[in-house]
Amino acid sequence: MRITTRVFGEITVDDEKIIHFPNGIIGFPDLQDFALIHDEEKGTDTIHWMQSLQEPTFAMPVMDPLIVCPDYNPEVDDELLNNIGEIKPDELLVMVTVTVPKEIKKMSVNLKGPIVINAAEKLATQVIVEGDEYVVKYPIYDILNQKKQKVGE
């Protein structure tokens, strides 16, 4: 499938790489098919993009939450995951959305609304974590800077 995107221009997405969200994503229930894209030009392995295949102008930056919150392990009601099939631990992929405001030092991730992906089935859902252990705007700028400095040493 070929699509023209706002962020990456024209790209080709292999059918087997399409991730289907049966219920869409929070706030966008009609957007159900996405591709997880790595920005090879930027050369970063931290931030990826969840590119909508229905709406080429819609792409969300996402990342592995363990990079910035190593003990991230939210409890999610199994019922919320029913629509993405049985998930084996080695086929589970969890991503969180990244917010990059104009003032980059206020960059944050949403630990309250993770995206849970069944990699084997290419099915995903976005859930809301109950309780107040995790926040919607978890600051990550300083954490990423520290990691970058350690790599450079």
Side-chain angles (χ1 to χ4, degrees), residues 1-5 8-20 33-38 49-56 58-59 122:
M1 165 184 270
R2 291 188 73 70
I3 62 170
T4 301
T5 69
F8 299 102
E10 191 171 302
I11 60 169
T12 301
V13 177
D14 295 333
D15 287 346
E16 65 268 6
K17 300 232 180 196
I18 296 172
I19 300 169
H20 182 70
D33 294 316
F34 288 82
L36 188 59
I37 297 173
H38 173 70
W49 293 84
M50 197 61 80
Q51 172 64 58
S52 169
L53 302 182
Q54 280 102 359
E55 181 53 60
F58 185 88
K122 303 287 188 277

Side-chain angles (χ1 to χ4, degrees), residues 40-126:
E40 293 172 15
E41 283 182 23
K42 293 235 169 45
T44 175
D45 58 357
T46 304
I47 296 182
H48 305 279
W49 293 84
M50 197 61 80
Q51 172 64 58
S52 169
L53 302 182
Q54 280 102 359
E55 181 53 60
T57 60
F58 185 88
M60 297 183 299
V62 295
M63 70 183 301
D64 178 344
L66 298 178
I67 292 171
V68 292
C69 186
D71 59 348
Y72 185 68
N73 190 17
E75 285 190 30
V76 176
D77 188 344
D78 287 343
E79 216 172 277
L80 297 174
L81 305 177
N82 283 346
N83 63 344
I84 62 170
E86 185 181 337
I87 306 172
K88 296 184 177 114
D90 60 337
E91 296 168 346
L92 171 70
L93 178 62
V94 176
M95 303 298 273
V96 291
T97 56
V98 180
T99 301
V100 184
K102 285 188 187 211
E103 192 177 329
I104 195 144
K105 290 186 176 185
K106 293 187 176 180
M107 184 185 328
S108 64
V109 291
N110 180 354
L111 298 179
K112 192 93 168 148
I115 295 169
V116 180
I117 303 169
N118 179 337
E121 301 292 327
K122 303 287 188 277
L123 291 171
T125 189
Q126 187 174 19

